[in-house]
Structures are given as C-alpha cells and as structure tokens.
Amino acid sequence: MSALPDPVWPVVVLAIIQAGDALMCIKPVPFIAQCFEDVNWPRRYWWIMPPLKFAAAAGLILGIWLPYLGAVTCAALVLYFMVAIAMHVAARDFGRNLFLNATVMLLICIAVGVFSFMA
C-alpha cells in the first residue's frame, strides 16, 4: 500500500464527485431526497450528509500531501457505499438508486483505492 496516491488524478476526480454530491445534499435535489426516503433514512438526519461528504472530499484532497489520509478516506468511502447498498437491499429498493448511484460509486471508490494506493 502506498502512503501517498500515485497517480493523483483519480483521487482528485473522486474528491470533485464527493464535493458535488455534498452540494446536492445541502437542500437535497429531488432524486437524492427520493433516495433518502426510499431507504427510510430519517429526515432528521439528512443534515449530516453534506458535512460528511465535504469531509470526504477534504480528506481525499489533503491526502495528496498527508500520508495515508487519502487511503483511509478512500477506504471509508468504500465502507460508506457498502452500507448504502445494504440499506437499499434492506429497504428492497432495487432500482436506479441502488445500481446507478450506490453500486457505481462503490466501484469507483474501489478502483481509486486500487489504482492510486495499491498499484
């Protein structure tokens, strides 16, 4: 495992995706609100998603210079999306949110981890 990402560009792309997702969660756009509702995520906890996603973006960017931070953040995102998939399955939400959003994001996070931190 590498302490710093090499190449860096996949980490930057993932950070941009996370920051964009965080922005869309501030006042959840309709498809994100529907996703939260479909997995029975209590509305009183919706506020935590933007800071969590901004923190992930920051951890990825800072991890370009701080050893292991990017790798740990990437691993945390893998766990996050594994939990998201489990929540979709538990809620029997087998549509777009599960396959296009959570599963594709899990695969992207795994790919970034392998490509940038394990190669």
Side-chain angles (χ1 to χ4, degrees), residues 3-5 8 11 56-71 73 117:
L4 295 171
V8 170
V11 176
L60 290 166
I61 294 299
L62 290 173
I64 293 170
W65 300 281
L66 296 174
Y68 298 106
L69 181 60
T73 304
F117 295 102

Side-chain angles (χ1 to χ4, degrees):
M1 186 166 119
S2 175
L4 295 171
D6 183 28
V8 170
W9 70 265
V11 176
V12 173
V13 170
L14 183 55
I16 291 168
I17 291 169
Q18 287 302 301
D21 194 12
L23 287 171
M24 290 189 294
C25 286
I26 291 172
K27 182 183 182 303
V29 296
F31 81 91
I32 290 176
Q34 188 63 51
C35 178
F36 290 165
E37 290 173 0
D38 289 348
V39 297
N40 303 312
W41 181 248
R43 191 174 286 264
R44 69 182 178 272
Y45 297 128
W46 288 16
W47 68 270
I48 201 167
M49 300 313 283
L52 188 68
K53 293 172 187 245
F54 279 126
L60 290 166
I61 294 299
L62 290 173
I64 293 170
W65 300 281
L66 296 174
Y68 298 106
L69 181 60
V72 169
T73 304
C74 194
L77 283 168
V78 168
L79 291 175
Y80 171 88
F81 285 108
M82 289 174 70
V83 170
I85 288 169
M87 289 178 72
H88 284 285
V89 170
R92 299 189 174 277
D93 179 27
F94 299 114
R96 173 188 183 270
N97 292 327
L98 170 62
F99 294 106
L100 185 60
N101 298 350
T103 304
V104 169
M105 282 306 303
L106 173 64
L107 294 174
I108 289 170
C109 293
I110 291 170
V112 169
V114 169
F115 191 60
S116 291
F117 295 102
M118 298 180 117

